[in-house]
Amino acid sequence: MKKILVANRGEIALRVMKTIKKMGIKTVAVYSEADRNSPHIKFADEAVCLGPAPSNESYLKMDKIIEVCKELGVDGVHPGYGFLSENAAFAELTEKNNITFIGPRSKAIEVMGSKLAAKETVKAYDIPMVPGIDEAIEDVNKATQIAREIGFPILIKASAGGGGKGMRVVNEEKDLEEQMKRAISEAKSAFGDGSVFIEKYVASPRHIEIQVLADTHGNIIHLVERECSIQRRHQKVVEEAPSVVLDESLREKMGNAAVKVARSCDYVGAGTVEFLLDENKNFYFLEMNTRLQVEHPVTELITGVDLVEQQIKIARGEVLEIQQEDIKINGHAMELRVYAEDPLNDFLPSVGNLETYQLPVGENIRVDNGFEEGMDVPIYYDPMLSKLITYGKNREEAIQLMIEAIADYKVEGVSTTLAFGKFVMENEHFKSGDFDTHFVKKYFTPEALSKKNQAEAKLAAKVALARYLQEKKLLKTPH
């Protein structure tokens, strides 16, 4: 491969290109009119505008991307995450045009893109599943019967879904019909597919995922776990590796299960197998993400493996150079997704101009960033500005460095999740490791954050006043 097009934008486009350049390969950036001043364009060797700001007129235009590849003599396409990364039709289209798709084959994307098809595929591999029904259901009477069998509370889930859409917790039988209608309607409008299924609701779960790498020669390894339980609206905000609750025995069991899931669909490339872990340390297969994950840097920092480099080598047909026994956990890594969102207003997107935008720098601080000072945050895309990652020899060190890095991250013009990140890092439940996916619901309120900010502002004012009085006193003292 001599030239790779990155079919994405922002921080992930830039992060992927850095590895491509490091490997001595030329890079091609694509962008929409809203992103014409983005750093990823300046960084690339070549850049092409795909069209207007809306993603369906730019980043999702498959034919246009293929056309650009042909015009510029591109050998491979890296899709990043989001947009076309889990689009089986796009993977197929690239292959048809003799362009390497840096990711799994279209069949694996298709199978794992449907939660029901994924459950069916891994069934033969003895993977633990949450009790429930693994077929689409629309009949309320049948749903009621199943719910009675597995016991309330239950979870209604969209088969084609993600990000919490088409998902409903039902605590009592009387609410089932209404919630089912809502879930089906939401799934139809979000994914064009109203299929839903029913599972037992795991009350206090942790969200644990395992990174896997698989080559075209049948070798599959896992790169241990990531803890992704700090979420808002079923989407992750803080991730870390390793998890504070896994011991070596459980890590090995979950790692082996993840490898089996990858094997079940003939997986190739980097992928992530997601599990729920209940309070009794039972784990259940949730789904497989057939792409690079947002939180991949924490795995890179504790294993020393560049996952994008591995993706490219696998796509070139190389044999995986890492064996399972080579994977060792070294230290601890923490990641905060820095979103242009207002934590004081239900995490709603906050658009505007980045009047001030200064990144923290220092040893063991990594920022995967996609913006510069003076840029506008567009309303058309996911509101992530960057990912702030810290590394320490242990968890306490990674947390402390994250608090310091957040303090050094200066943003004015939009609200961000930085203050929320600080709230998490300083929370006793988080620090002790005693938390689950309900952390935000249990411990976070806008009032708590406001109070904390006010208390810190008062303290800063007192310190400033004390310093001022001290300096005044020194000036008056005769020398």
Side-chain angles (χ1 to χ4, degrees):
M1 266 188 240
K2 293 187 174 69
K3 195 185 277 191
I4 295 174
L5 180 144
V6 180
N8 218 297
R9 64 180 292 279
E11 59 84 22
I12 187 58
L14 199 51
R15 183 268 164 274
V16 169
M17 282 181 199
K18 282 179 179 172
T19 289
I20 296 171
K21 262 194 186 179
K22 186 181 80 180
M23 294 174 78
I25 301 168
K26 294 277 183 222
T27 55
V28 177
V30 288
Y31 62 96
S32 73
E33 285 165 10
D35 282 337
R36 60 172 65 255
N37 297 317
S38 287
H40 78 281
I41 299 165
K42 297 169 198 167
F43 187 83
D45 296 302
E46 295 171 89
V48 177
C49 183
L50 291 173
S55 48
N56 62 350
E57 294 178 45
S58 51
Y59 295 106
L60 295 175
K61 286 186 83 75
M62 295 190 252
D63 291 334
K64 175 74 176 165
I65 291 168
I66 297 295
E67 197 182 295
V68 172
C69 289
K70 287 179 166 177
E71 275 175 25
L72 300 181
V74 165
D75 308 298
V77 171
H78 194 300
Y81 44 67
F83 293 137
L84 297 168
S85 63
E86 291 177 286
N87 188 312
F90 181 62
E92 218 166 282
L93 193 61
T94 56
E95 297 297 348
K96 267 185 193 161
N97 285 278
N98 297 318
I99 300 156
T100 303
F101 181 75
I102 301 169
R105 297 183 183 108
S106 55
K107 181 183 171 287
I109 297 175
E110 210 169 305
V111 167
M112 290 298 160
S114 158
K115 290 185 173 70
L116 286 175
K119 279 170 173 273
E120 189 59 40
T121 304
V122 305
K123 211 189 253 180
Y125 286 77
D126 198 26
I127 310 288
M129 307 268 202
V130 178
I133 184 166
D134 46 14
E135 61 182 55
I137 189 166
E138 284 193 37
D139 180 342
V140 175
N141 293 328
K142 192 178 177 188
T144 305
Q145 192 187 325
I146 294 156
R148 281 178 188 154
E149 281 170 25
I150 62 176
F152 287 90
I154 56 127
L155 189 62
I156 301 169
K157 286 169 94 171
S159 174
K165 292 183 177 72
M167 193 186 278
R168 289 283 184 280
V169 176
V170 185
N171 292 303
E172 296 175 60
E173 193 175 308
K174 66 179 175 62
D175 302 323
L176 183 62
E177 187 171 354
E178 171 66 19
Q179 294 298 344
M180 218 171 134
K181 281 178 186 165
R182 286 187 181 186
I184 289 168
S185 154
E186 201 174 283
K188 269 183 186 156
S189 70
F191 313 111
D193 178 354
S195 313
V196 297
F197 62 100
I198 288 174
E199 278 182 352
K200 175 78 181 159
Y201 178 61
V202 181
S204 301
R206 293 179 85 115
H207 187 123
I208 307 285
E209 59 187 34
I210 309 276
Q211 176 74 56
V212 293
L213 282 176
D215 66 17
T216 51
H217 306 274
N219 302 302
I220 308 174
I221 63 163
H222 70 84
L223 290 89
V224 301
E225 80 281 359
R226 295 186 284 257
E227 167 77 69
C228 307
S229 298
I230 308 291
Q231 306 178 356
R232 51 98 183 92
R233 293 196 297 274
H234 300 285
Q235 284 191 317
K236 307 158 193 170
V237 200
V238 172
E239 301 105 346
E240 61 181 301
S243 168
V244 75
V245 289
L246 263 62
D247 56 24
E248 272 313 313
S249 164
L250 185 53
R251 180 171 289 124
E252 193 179 343
K253 279 180 195 158
M254 291 180 82
N256 290 340
V259 166
K260 283 181 185 174
V261 170
R263 207 171 286 290
S264 76
C265 64
D266 297 323
Y267 199 79
V268 168
T272 299
V273 183
E274 307 208 340
F275 296 99
L276 282 183
L277 184 73
D278 71 16
E279 61 268 43
N280 301 315
K281 304 268 181 84
N282 299 307
F283 66 91
Y284 308 100
F285 170 68
L286 194 59
E287 62 181 333
M288 184 177 195
N289 287 299
T290 55
R291 54 173 166 78
L292 197 65
Q293 291 279 89
V294 175
E295 56 275 16
H296 75 274
V298 292
T299 298
E300 293 185 325
L301 288 176
I302 66 159
T303 60
V305 175
D306 181 330
L307 290 170
V308 175
E309 185 180 355
Q310 293 305 315
Q311 283 185 299
I312 294 165
K313 287 182 171 182
I314 289 166
R316 290 197 300 214
E318 294 178 26
V319 176
L320 206 55
E321 57 196 359
I322 316 158
Q323 314 288 309
Q324 191 61 63
E325 54 270 23
D326 299 331
I327 301 299
K328 302 276 187 288
I329 296 173
N330 180 22
H332 200 100
M334 194 68 63
E335 175 177 297
L336 169 66
R337 299 187 186 193
V338 184
Y339 284 111
E341 290 179 346
D342 187 356
L344 299 177
N345 187 17
D346 198 27
F347 292 93
L348 288 174
S350 170
V351 295
N353 181 267
L354 294 170
E355 295 153 20
T356 302
Y357 193 69
Q358 291 161 17
L359 305 178
V361 288
E363 196 182 351
N364 295 331
I365 295 172
R366 167 175 164 177
V367 189
D368 284 13
N369 172 52
F371 283 82
E372 284 174 354
E373 197 165 271
M375 280 176 67
D376 290 325
V377 178
I379 56 168
Y380 305 97
Y381 318 113
D382 180 273
M384 192 193 291
L385 300 175
S386 74
K387 296 171 327 207
L388 176 58
I389 311 111
T390 57
Y391 172 80
K393 61 176 182 290
N394 53 42
R395 189 169 186 263
E396 293 71 29
E397 208 174 271
I399 289 174
Q400 187 50 42
L401 188 56
M402 179 61 82
I403 293 167
E404 290 166 24
I406 289 169
D408 290 340
Y409 203 136
K410 306 286 185 240
V411 185
E412 282 171 31
V414 297
S415 298
T416 73
T417 47
L418 284 165
F420 171 75
K422 185 172 190 283
F423 175 90
V424 174
M425 296 300 136
E426 292 178 343
N427 180 277
E428 286 309 317
H429 294 277
F430 181 75
K431 288 203 286 193
S432 68
D434 174 25
F435 60 90
D436 57 31
T437 54
H438 304 305
F439 176 91
V440 169
K441 196 163 64 179
K442 282 182 184 170
Y443 308 118
F444 177 75
T445 60
E447 294 75 34
L449 190 58
S450 291
K451 266 186 201 163
K452 208 166 185 310
N453 290 347
Q454 282 165 11
E456 283 172 7
K458 272 184 189 168
L459 183 63
K462 279 181 183 171
V463 170
L465 180 63
R467 192 176 291 158
Y468 167 72
L469 293 172
Q470 182 66 26
E471 283 172 3
K472 206 171 169 189
K473 195 173 165 188
L474 285 171
L475 285 170
K476 283 183 178 175
T477 308
H479 293 286

